[in-house]
PDB file of all heavy atoms in Angstrom:
ATOM      1  N   HIS A  28       0.849  -1.185   0.000  1.00  0.00           N
ATOM      2  CA  HIS A  28       0.000   0.000   0.000  1.00  0.00           C
ATOM      3  C   HIS A  28       0.883   1.232   0.000  1.00  0.00           C
ATOM      4  O   HIS A  28       1.875   1.282   0.728  1.00  0.00           O
ATOM      5  CB  HIS A  28      -0.906   0.046   1.235  1.00  0.00           C
ATOM      6  CG  HIS A  28      -1.872  -1.077   1.310  1.00  0.00           C
ATOM      7  ND1 HIS A  28      -3.050  -1.097   0.616  1.00  0.00           N
ATOM      8  CD2 HIS A  28      -1.822  -2.248   1.987  1.00  0.00           C
ATOM      9  CE1 HIS A  28      -3.693  -2.212   0.875  1.00  0.00           C
ATOM     10  NE2 HIS A  28      -2.963  -2.940   1.705  1.00  0.00           N
ATOM     11  N   PHE A  29       0.517   2.198  -0.799  1.00  0.00           N
ATOM     12  CA  PHE A  29       1.169   3.497  -0.758  1.00  0.00           C
ATOM     13  C   PHE A  29       0.208   4.452  -0.078  1.00  0.00           C
ATOM     14  O   PHE A  29      -0.951   4.570  -0.471  1.00  0.00           O
ATOM     15  CB  PHE A  29       1.503   4.001  -2.170  1.00  0.00           C
ATOM     16  CG  PHE A  29       2.659   3.279  -2.794  1.00  0.00           C
ATOM     17  CD1 PHE A  29       2.453   2.133  -3.537  1.00  0.00           C
ATOM     18  CD2 PHE A  29       3.951   3.744  -2.626  1.00  0.00           C
ATOM     19  CE1 PHE A  29       3.512   1.458  -4.107  1.00  0.00           C
ATOM     20  CE2 PHE A  29       5.022   3.082  -3.182  1.00  0.00           C
ATOM     21  CZ  PHE A  29       4.806   1.935  -3.937  1.00  0.00           C
ATOM     22  N   ILE A  30       0.685   5.118   0.949  1.00  0.00           N
ATOM     23  CA  ILE A  30      -0.135   6.055   1.707  1.00  0.00           C
ATOM     24  C   ILE A  30       0.518   7.423   1.595  1.00  0.00           C
ATOM     25  O   ILE A  30       1.729   7.564   1.785  1.00  0.00           O
ATOM     26  CB  ILE A  30      -0.239   5.623   3.180  1.00  0.00           C
ATOM     27  CG1 ILE A  30      -0.878   4.232   3.270  1.00  0.00           C
ATOM     28  CG2 ILE A  30      -1.033   6.636   3.984  1.00  0.00           C
ATOM     29  CD1 ILE A  30      -0.821   3.620   4.643  1.00  0.00           C
ATOM     30  N   THR A  31      -0.277   8.421   1.289  1.00  0.00           N
ATOM     31  CA  THR A  31       0.237   9.781   1.202  1.00  0.00           C
ATOM     32  C   THR A  31      -0.451  10.655   2.241  1.00  0.00           C
ATOM     33  O   THR A  31      -1.524  10.314   2.737  1.00  0.00           O
ATOM     34  CB  THR A  31       0.008  10.381  -0.194  1.00  0.00           C
ATOM     35  OG1 THR A  31      -1.400  10.438  -0.450  1.00  0.00           O
ATOM     36  CG2 THR A  31       0.682   9.541  -1.266  1.00  0.00           C
ATOM     37  N   PHE A  32       0.194  11.756   2.541  1.00  0.00           N
ATOM     38  CA  PHE A  32      -0.326  12.684   3.534  1.00  0.00           C
ATOM     39  C   PHE A  32      -0.396  14.077   2.929  1.00  0.00           C
ATOM     40  O   PHE A  32       0.414  14.435   2.079  1.00  0.00           O
ATOM     41  CB  PHE A  32       0.553  12.684   4.784  1.00  0.00           C
ATOM     42  CG  PHE A  32       0.611  11.342   5.456  1.00  0.00           C
ATOM     43  CD1 PHE A  32       1.582  10.422   5.113  1.00  0.00           C
ATOM     44  CD2 PHE A  32      -0.336  10.998   6.407  1.00  0.00           C
ATOM     45  CE1 PHE A  32       1.622   9.169   5.719  1.00  0.00           C
ATOM     46  CE2 PHE A  32      -0.293   9.752   7.020  1.00  0.00           C
ATOM     47  CZ  PHE A  32       0.685   8.841   6.671  1.00  0.00           C
ATOM     48  N   GLU A  33      -1.330  14.858   3.388  1.00  0.00           N
ATOM     49  CA  GLU A  33      -1.505  16.203   2.855  1.00  0.00           C
ATOM     50  C   GLU A  33      -0.393  17.147   3.310  1.00  0.00           C
ATOM     51  O   GLU A  33       0.112  17.954   2.547  1.00  0.00           O
ATOM     52  CB  GLU A  33      -2.857  16.760   3.289  1.00  0.00           C
ATOM     53  CG  GLU A  33      -3.175  18.107   2.691  1.00  0.00           C
ATOM     54  CD  GLU A  33      -4.582  18.557   3.007  1.00  0.00           C
ATOM     55  OE1 GLU A  33      -5.437  17.721   3.336  1.00  0.00           O
ATOM     56  OE2 GLU A  33      -4.814  19.768   2.928  1.00  0.00           O
ATOM     57  N   ARG A  34       0.020  17.029   4.576  1.00  0.00           N
ATOM     58  CA  ARG A  34       1.035  17.926   5.116  1.00  0.00           C
ATOM     59  C   ARG A  34       2.426  17.504   4.631  1.00  0.00           C
ATOM     60  O   ARG A  34       2.819  16.351   4.765  1.00  0.00           O
ATOM     61  CB  ARG A  34       0.999  17.912   6.646  1.00  0.00           C
ATOM     62  CG  ARG A  34       1.956  18.891   7.290  1.00  0.00           C
ATOM     63  CD  ARG A  34       1.808  18.918   8.805  1.00  0.00           C
ATOM     64  NE  ARG A  34       2.130  17.659   9.444  1.00  0.00           N
ATOM     65  CZ  ARG A  34       3.356  17.321   9.861  1.00  0.00           C
ATOM     66  NH1 ARG A  34       4.356  18.144   9.696  1.00  0.00           N
ATOM     67  NH2 ARG A  34       3.562  16.169  10.452  1.00  0.00           N
ATOM     68  N   LEU A  35       3.160  18.434   4.067  1.00  0.00           N
ATOM     69  CA  LEU A  35       4.506  18.157   3.598  1.00  0.00           C
ATOM     70  C   LEU A  35       5.503  18.347   4.732  1.00  0.00           C
ATOM     71  O   LEU A  35       5.306  19.181   5.611  1.00  0.00           O
ATOM     72  CB  LEU A  35       4.857  19.090   2.435  1.00  0.00           C
ATOM     73  CG  LEU A  35       3.949  18.994   1.214  1.00  0.00           C
ATOM     74  CD1 LEU A  35       4.381  20.018   0.168  1.00  0.00           C
ATOM     75  CD2 LEU A  35       3.957  17.591   0.631  1.00  0.00           C
ATOM     76  N   VAL A  36       6.566  17.564   4.713  1.00  0.00           N
ATOM     77  CA  VAL A  36       7.628  17.681   5.706  1.00  0.00           C
ATOM     78  C   VAL A  36       8.954  17.850   4.965  1.00  0.00           C
ATOM     79  O   VAL A  36       9.088  17.435   3.811  1.00  0.00           O
ATOM     80  CB  VAL A  36       7.691  16.462   6.656  1.00  0.00           C
ATOM     81  CG1 VAL A  36       6.419  16.344   7.463  1.00  0.00           C
ATOM     82  CG2 VAL A  36       7.937  15.187   5.885  1.00  0.00           C
ATOM     83  N   PRO A  37       9.951  18.446   5.595  1.00  0.00           N
ATOM     84  CA  PRO A  37      11.251  18.628   4.934  1.00  0.00           C
ATOM     85  C   PRO A  37      11.893  17.283   4.587  1.00  0.00           C
ATOM     86  O   PRO A  37      11.809  16.322   5.355  1.00  0.00           O
ATOM     87  CB  PRO A  37      12.091  19.369   5.974  1.00  0.00           C
ATOM     88  CG  PRO A  37      11.115  19.939   6.942  1.00  0.00           C
ATOM     89  CD  PRO A  37       9.921  19.049   6.929  1.00  0.00           C
ATOM     90  N   MET A  38      12.549  17.221   3.436  1.00  0.00           N
ATOM     91  CA  MET A  38      13.199  15.979   3.003  1.00  0.00           C
ATOM     92  C   MET A  38      14.260  15.520   3.994  1.00  0.00           C
ATOM     93  O   MET A  38      14.459  14.324   4.179  1.00  0.00           O
ATOM     94  CB  MET A  38      13.832  16.160   1.624  1.00  0.00           C
ATOM     95  CG  MET A  38      12.825  16.280   0.510  1.00  0.00           C
ATOM     96  SD  MET A  38      13.582  16.334  -1.126  1.00  0.00           S
ATOM     97  CE  MET A  38      14.320  17.954  -1.122  1.00  0.00           C
ATOM     98  N   ASP A  39      14.936  16.478   4.660  1.00  0.00           N
ATOM     99  CA  ASP A  39      16.008  16.072   5.568  1.00  0.00           C
ATOM    100  C   ASP A  39      15.500  15.480   6.878  1.00  0.00           C
ATOM    101  O   ASP A  39      16.288  15.036   7.709  1.00  0.00           O
ATOM    102  CB  ASP A  39      16.974  17.224   5.838  1.00  0.00           C
ATOM    103  CG  ASP A  39      16.328  18.428   6.508  1.00  0.00           C
ATOM    104  OD1 ASP A  39      15.100  18.416   6.710  1.00  0.00           O
ATOM    105  OD2 ASP A  39      17.059  19.376   6.818  1.00  0.00           O
ATOM    106  N   SER A  40      14.184  15.416   7.061  1.00  0.00           N
ATOM    107  CA  SER A  40      13.625  14.761   8.248  1.00  0.00           C
ATOM    108  C   SER A  40      13.421  13.261   8.021  1.00  0.00           C
ATOM    109  O   SER A  40      13.055  12.539   8.953  1.00  0.00           O
ATOM    110  CB  SER A  40      12.302  15.419   8.659  1.00  0.00           C
ATOM    111  OG  SER A  40      11.324  15.236   7.662  1.00  0.00           O
ATOM    112  N   LEU A  41      13.692  12.780   6.806  1.00  0.00           N
ATOM    113  CA  LEU A  41      13.452  11.369   6.481  1.00  0.00           C
ATOM    114  C   LEU A  41      14.199  10.392   7.403  1.00  0.00           C
ATOM    115  O   LEU A  41      13.597   9.411   7.851  1.00  0.00           O
ATOM    116  CB  LEU A  41      13.786  11.100   5.017  1.00  0.00           C
ATOM    117  CG  LEU A  41      13.431   9.725   4.482  1.00  0.00           C
ATOM    118  CD1 LEU A  41      11.955   9.400   4.671  1.00  0.00           C
ATOM    119  CD2 LEU A  41      13.806   9.617   3.001  1.00  0.00           C
ATOM    120  N   PRO A  42      15.475  10.605   7.758  1.00  0.00           N
ATOM    121  CA  PRO A  42      16.130   9.658   8.667  1.00  0.00           C
ATOM    122  C   PRO A  42      15.432   9.550  10.031  1.00  0.00           C
ATOM    123  O   PRO A  42      15.292   8.449  10.569  1.00  0.00           O
ATOM    124  CB  PRO A  42      17.542  10.224   8.818  1.00  0.00           C
ATOM    125  CG  PRO A  42      17.769  10.993   7.562  1.00  0.00           C
ATOM    126  CD  PRO A  42      16.429  11.601   7.236  1.00  0.00           C
ATOM    127  N   ASP A  43      14.965  10.665  10.566  1.00  0.00           N
ATOM    128  CA  ASP A  43      14.261  10.621  11.855  1.00  0.00           C
ATOM    129  C   ASP A  43      12.922   9.907  11.730  1.00  0.00           C
ATOM    130  O   ASP A  43      12.523   9.151  12.626  1.00  0.00           O
ATOM    131  CB  ASP A  43      14.051  12.038  12.390  1.00  0.00           C
ATOM    132  CG  ASP A  43      15.362  12.728  12.707  1.00  0.00           C
ATOM    133  OD1 ASP A  43      16.284  12.039  13.198  1.00  0.00           O
ATOM    134  OD2 ASP A  43      15.462  13.927  12.452  1.00  0.00           O
ATOM    135  N   ILE A  44      12.242  10.121  10.615  1.00  0.00           N
ATOM    136  CA  ILE A  44      10.963   9.444  10.383  1.00  0.00           C
ATOM    137  C   ILE A  44      11.196   7.945  10.262  1.00  0.00           C
ATOM    138  O   ILE A  44      10.429   7.140  10.800  1.00  0.00           O
ATOM    139  CB  ILE A  44      10.268  10.018   9.139  1.00  0.00           C
ATOM    140  CG1 ILE A  44       9.857  11.476   9.387  1.00  0.00           C
ATOM    141  CG2 ILE A  44       9.062   9.176   8.750  1.00  0.00           C
ATOM    142  CD1 ILE A  44       9.401  12.209   8.144  1.00  0.00           C
ATOM    143  N   LYS A  45      12.275   7.536   9.580  1.00  0.00           N
ATOM    144  CA  LYS A  45      12.579   6.109   9.439  1.00  0.00           C
ATOM    145  C   LYS A  45      12.854   5.477  10.800  1.00  0.00           C
ATOM    146  O   LYS A  45      12.417   4.354  11.069  1.00  0.00           O
ATOM    147  CB  LYS A  45      13.781   5.899   8.501  1.00  0.00           C
ATOM    148  CG  LYS A  45      14.149   4.436   8.298  1.00  0.00           C
ATOM    149  CD  LYS A  45      13.002   3.623   7.705  1.00  0.00           C
ATOM    150  CE  LYS A  45      13.404   2.166   7.522  1.00  0.00           C
ATOM    151  NZ  LYS A  45      12.268   1.328   7.130  1.00  0.00           N
ATOM    152  N   LYS A  46      13.568   6.156  11.670  1.00  0.00           N
ATOM    153  CA  LYS A  46      13.804   5.617  13.015  1.00  0.00           C
ATOM    154  C   LYS A  46      12.478   5.418  13.748  1.00  0.00           C
ATOM    155  O   LYS A  46      12.280   4.411  14.432  1.00  0.00           O
ATOM    156  CB  LYS A  46      14.709   6.550  13.815  1.00  0.00           C
ATOM    157  CG  LYS A  46      16.142   6.499  13.364  1.00  0.00           C
ATOM    158  CD  LYS A  46      17.000   7.414  14.219  1.00  0.00           C
ATOM    159  CE  LYS A  46      18.441   7.393  13.765  1.00  0.00           C
ATOM    160  NZ  LYS A  46      19.281   8.266  14.580  1.00  0.00           N
ATOM    161  N   THR A  47      11.561   6.362  13.593  1.00  0.00           N
ATOM    162  CA  THR A  47      10.246   6.243  14.223  1.00  0.00           C
ATOM    163  C   THR A  47       9.482   5.048  13.667  1.00  0.00           C
ATOM    164  O   THR A  47       8.882   4.279  14.420  1.00  0.00           O
ATOM    165  CB  THR A  47       9.434   7.535  14.020  1.00  0.00           C
ATOM    166  OG1 THR A  47      10.149   8.623  14.613  1.00  0.00           O
ATOM    167  CG2 THR A  47       8.057   7.432  14.638  1.00  0.00           C
ATOM    168  N   THR A  48       9.511   4.857  12.347  1.00  0.00           N
ATOM    169  CA  THR A  48       8.785   3.713  11.762  1.00  0.00           C
ATOM    170  C   THR A  48       9.436   2.391  12.161  1.00  0.00           C
ATOM    171  O   THR A  48       8.743   1.391  12.327  1.00  0.00           O
ATOM    172  CB  THR A  48       8.681   3.826  10.234  1.00  0.00           C
ATOM    173  OG1 THR A  48       9.980   3.858   9.648  1.00  0.00           O
ATOM    174  CG2 THR A  48       7.890   5.057   9.828  1.00  0.00           C
ATOM    175  N   ASN A  49      10.769   2.373  12.337  1.00  0.00           N
ATOM    176  CA  ASN A  49      11.423   1.144  12.811  1.00  0.00           C
ATOM    177  C   ASN A  49      10.921   0.765  14.206  1.00  0.00           C
ATOM    178  O   ASN A  49      10.672  -0.409  14.484  1.00  0.00           O
ATOM    179  CB  ASN A  49      12.943   1.319  12.844  1.00  0.00           C
ATOM    180  CG  ASN A  49      13.565   1.199  11.474  1.00  0.00           C
ATOM    181  OD1 ASN A  49      12.904   0.887  10.500  1.00  0.00           O
ATOM    182  ND2 ASN A  49      14.850   1.481  11.405  1.00  0.00           N
ATOM    183  N   HIS A  50      10.780   1.761  15.073  1.00  0.00           N
ATOM    184  CA  HIS A  50      10.241   1.489  16.414  1.00  0.00           C
ATOM    185  C   HIS A  50       8.798   0.989  16.330  1.00  0.00           C
ATOM    186  O   HIS A  50       8.411   0.057  17.051  1.00  0.00           O
ATOM    187  CB  HIS A  50      10.316   2.739  17.291  1.00  0.00           C
ATOM    188  CG  HIS A  50      11.703   3.066  17.746  1.00  0.00           C
ATOM    189  ND1 HIS A  50      12.405   2.291  18.633  1.00  0.00           N
ATOM    190  CD2 HIS A  50      12.523   4.086  17.423  1.00  0.00           C
ATOM    191  CE1 HIS A  50      13.597   2.811  18.842  1.00  0.00           C
ATOM    192  NE2 HIS A  50      13.702   3.902  18.103  1.00  0.00           N
ATOM    193  N   LEU A  51       8.011   1.583  15.448  1.00  0.00           N
ATOM    194  CA  LEU A  51       6.627   1.146  15.274  1.00  0.00           C
ATOM    195  C   LEU A  51       6.562  -0.285  14.761  1.00  0.00           C
ATOM    196  O   LEU A  51       5.761  -1.091  15.240  1.00  0.00           O
ATOM    197  CB  LEU A  51       5.902   2.094  14.318  1.00  0.00           C
ATOM    198  CG  LEU A  51       4.429   1.795  14.044  1.00  0.00           C
ATOM    199  CD1 LEU A  51       3.614   1.803  15.333  1.00  0.00           C
ATOM    200  CD2 LEU A  51       3.871   2.816  13.056  1.00  0.00           C
ATOM    201  N   GLU A  52       7.420  -0.643  13.816  1.00  0.00           N
ATOM    202  CA  GLU A  52       7.476  -2.019  13.325  1.00  0.00           C
ATOM    203  C   GLU A  52       7.778  -2.984  14.467  1.00  0.00           C
ATOM    204  O   GLU A  52       7.203  -4.071  14.543  1.00  0.00           O
ATOM    205  CB  GLU A  52       8.541  -2.168  12.235  1.00  0.00           C
ATOM    206  CG  GLU A  52       8.181  -1.528  10.928  1.00  0.00           C
ATOM    207  CD  GLU A  52       9.314  -1.612   9.917  1.00  0.00           C
ATOM    208  OE1 GLU A  52      10.378  -2.209  10.229  1.00  0.00           O
ATOM    209  OE2 GLU A  52       9.141  -1.078   8.810  1.00  0.00           O
ATOM    210  N   GLY A  53       8.682  -2.590  15.351  1.00  0.00           N
ATOM    211  CA  GLY A  53       9.015  -3.433  16.501  1.00  0.00           C
ATOM    212  C   GLY A  53       7.847  -3.611  17.452  1.00  0.00           C
ATOM    213  O   GLY A  53       7.614  -4.697  17.967  1.00  0.00           O
ATOM    214  N   ARG A  54       7.108  -2.536  17.684  1.00  0.00           N
ATOM    215  CA  ARG A  54       5.938  -2.612  18.572  1.00  0.00           C
ATOM    216  C   ARG A  54       4.836  -3.486  17.986  1.00  0.00           C
ATOM    217  O   ARG A  54       4.076  -4.109  18.730  1.00  0.00           O
ATOM    218  CB  ARG A  54       5.406  -1.214  18.842  1.00  0.00           C
ATOM    219  CG  ARG A  54       6.313  -0.392  19.733  1.00  0.00           C
ATOM    220  CD  ARG A  54       5.790   0.991  20.019  1.00  0.00           C
ATOM    221  NE  ARG A  54       4.417   0.959  20.464  1.00  0.00           N
ATOM    222  CZ  ARG A  54       3.526   1.923  20.225  1.00  0.00           C
ATOM    223  NH1 ARG A  54       3.871   2.988  19.548  1.00  0.00           N
ATOM    224  NH2 ARG A  54       2.297   1.822  20.664  1.00  0.00           N
ATOM    225  N   LEU A  55       4.754  -3.543  16.655  1.00  0.00           N
ATOM    226  CA  LEU A  55       3.713  -4.327  15.990  1.00  0.00           C
ATOM    227  C   LEU A  55       4.156  -5.753  15.675  1.00  0.00           C
ATOM    228  O   LEU A  55       3.391  -6.527  15.114  1.00  0.00           O
ATOM    229  CB  LEU A  55       3.271  -3.632  14.694  1.00  0.00           C
ATOM    230  CG  LEU A  55       2.617  -2.262  14.868  1.00  0.00           C
ATOM    231  CD1 LEU A  55       2.386  -1.608  13.513  1.00  0.00           C
ATOM    232  CD2 LEU A  55       1.316  -2.384  15.637  1.00  0.00           C
ATOM    233  N   ALA A  56       5.368  -6.110  16.050  1.00  0.00           N
ATOM    234  CA  ALA A  56       5.882  -7.456  15.772  1.00  0.00           C
ATOM    235  C   ALA A  56       5.114  -8.502  16.570  1.00  0.00           C
ATOM    236  O   ALA A  56       4.471  -8.202  17.579  1.00  0.00           O
ATOM    237  CB  ALA A  56       7.373  -7.523  16.110  1.00  0.00           C
ATOM    238  N   SER A  57       5.204  -9.733  16.108  1.00  0.00           N
ATOM    239  CA  SER A  57       4.556 -10.837  16.810  1.00  0.00           C
ATOM    240  C   SER A  57       5.238 -11.049  18.154  1.00  0.00           C
ATOM    241  O   SER A  57       6.357 -10.569  18.376  1.00  0.00           O
ATOM    242  CB  SER A  57       4.645 -12.112  15.965  1.00  0.00           C
ATOM    243  OG  SER A  57       5.983 -12.573  15.932  1.00  0.00           O
ATOM    244  N   PRO A  58       4.604 -11.795  19.056  1.00  0.00           N
ATOM    245  CA  PRO A  58       5.243 -12.079  20.351  1.00  0.00           C
ATOM    246  C   PRO A  58       6.612 -12.756  20.207  1.00  0.00           C
ATOM    247  O   PRO A  58       7.474 -12.599  21.059  1.00  0.00           O
ATOM    248  CB  PRO A  58       4.239 -12.999  21.043  1.00  0.00           C
ATOM    249  CG  PRO A  58       2.923 -12.646  20.441  1.00  0.00           C
ATOM    250  CD  PRO A  58       3.240 -12.304  18.997  1.00  0.00           C
ATOM    251  N   GLU A  59       6.819 -13.477  19.106  1.00  0.00           N
ATOM    252  CA  GLU A  59       8.106 -14.129  18.860  1.00  0.00           C
ATOM    253  C   GLU A  59       9.138 -13.159  18.292  1.00  0.00           C
ATOM    254  O   GLU A  59      10.293 -13.525  18.086  1.00  0.00           O
ATOM    255  CB  GLU A  59       7.935 -15.303  17.883  1.00  0.00           C
ATOM    256  CG  GLU A  59       7.058 -16.422  18.395  1.00  0.00           C
ATOM    257  CD  GLU A  59       5.569 -16.115  18.245  1.00  0.00           C
ATOM    258  OE1 GLU A  59       5.194 -15.332  17.350  1.00  0.00           O
ATOM    259  OE2 GLU A  59       4.777 -16.652  19.032  1.00  0.00           O
ATOM    260  N   GLY A  60       8.721 -11.931  17.991  1.00  0.00           N
ATOM    261  CA  GLY A  60       9.640 -10.937  17.452  1.00  0.00           C
ATOM    262  C   GLY A  60       9.644 -10.830  15.945  1.00  0.00           C
ATOM    263  O   GLY A  60      10.419 -10.067  15.376  1.00  0.00           O
ATOM    264  N   ASN A  61       8.791 -11.617  15.273  1.00  0.00           N
ATOM    265  CA  ASN A  61       8.732 -11.560  13.814  1.00  0.00           C
ATOM    266  C   ASN A  61       7.992 -10.314  13.367  1.00  0.00           C
ATOM    267  O   ASN A  61       6.927  -9.979  13.892  1.00  0.00           O
ATOM    268  CB  ASN A  61       8.031 -12.794  13.249  1.00  0.00           C
ATOM    269  CG  ASN A  61       8.784 -14.057  13.556  1.00  0.00           C
ATOM    270  OD1 ASN A  61      10.008 -14.079  13.521  1.00  0.00           O
ATOM    271  ND2 ASN A  61       8.057 -15.113  13.871  1.00  0.00           N
ATOM    272  N   ARG A  62       8.540  -9.643  12.373  1.00  0.00           N
ATOM    273  CA  ARG A  62       7.937  -8.422  11.870  1.00  0.00           C
ATOM    274  C   ARG A  62       6.669  -8.741  11.078  1.00  0.00           C
ATOM    275  O   ARG A  62       6.668  -9.635  10.229  1.00  0.00           O
ATOM    276  CB  ARG A  62       8.952  -7.707  10.985  1.00  0.00           C
ATOM    277  CG  ARG A  62       8.552  -6.327  10.615  1.00  0.00           C
ATOM    278  CD  ARG A  62       9.675  -5.595   9.965  1.00  0.00           C
ATOM    279  NE  ARG A  62      10.190  -6.315   8.802  1.00  0.00           N
ATOM    280  CZ  ARG A  62      10.940  -5.767   7.866  1.00  0.00           C
ATOM    281  NH1 ARG A  62      11.288  -4.511   7.960  1.00  0.00           N
ATOM    282  NH2 ARG A  62      11.368  -6.473   6.857  1.00  0.00           N
ATOM    283  N   ARG A  63       5.598  -8.030  11.365  1.00  0.00           N
ATOM    284  CA  ARG A  63       4.335  -8.218  10.652  1.00  0.00           C
ATOM    285  C   ARG A  63       4.049  -7.099   9.662  1.00  0.00           C
ATOM    286  O   ARG A  63       3.214  -7.270   8.781  1.00  0.00           O
ATOM    287  CB  ARG A  63       3.185  -8.321  11.642  1.00  0.00           C
ATOM    288  CG  ARG A  63       3.262  -9.563  12.504  1.00  0.00           C
ATOM    289  CD  ARG A  63       1.986  -9.776  13.245  1.00  0.00           C
ATOM    290  NE  ARG A  63       2.104  -9.243  14.593  1.00  0.00           N
ATOM    291  CZ  ARG A  63       1.246  -9.494  15.563  1.00  0.00           C
ATOM    292  NH1 ARG A  63       0.198 -10.240  15.336  1.00  0.00           N
ATOM    293  NH2 ARG A  63       1.431  -8.985  16.749  1.00  0.00           N
ATOM    294  N   VAL A  64       4.704  -5.972   9.827  1.00  0.00           N
ATOM    295  CA  VAL A  64       4.568  -4.852   8.894  1.00  0.00           C
ATOM    296  C   VAL A  64       5.951  -4.334   8.535  1.00  0.00           C
ATOM    297  O   VAL A  64       6.900  -4.484   9.293  1.00  0.00           O
ATOM    298  CB  VAL A  64       3.714  -3.694   9.469  1.00  0.00           C
ATOM    299  CG1 VAL A  64       2.299  -4.136   9.737  1.00  0.00           C
ATOM    300  CG2 VAL A  64       4.343  -3.110  10.715  1.00  0.00           C
ATOM    301  N   ASN A  65       6.052  -3.768   7.350  1.00  0.00           N
ATOM    302  CA  ASN A  65       7.281  -3.143   6.883  1.00  0.00           C
ATOM    303  C   ASN A  65       6.901  -1.751   6.409  1.00  0.00           C
ATOM    304  O   ASN A  65       6.168  -1.605   5.438  1.00  0.00           O
ATOM    305  CB  ASN A  65       7.893  -3.958   5.744  1.00  0.00           C
ATOM    306  CG  ASN A  65       9.145  -3.321   5.208  1.00  0.00           C
ATOM    307  OD1 ASN A  65       9.832  -2.590   5.901  1.00  0.00           O
ATOM    308  ND2 ASN A  65       9.440  -3.595   3.950  1.00  0.00           N
TER     309      ASN A  65
END
């Protein structure tokens, strides 16, 4: 799925956003630690 947002953010904020999504992926992982979303 491609999801877009109306509010634009600076391109140089992408590394910080990626760190946030990595943490979210970890929180959504299975109890065994397997990733369920990317």
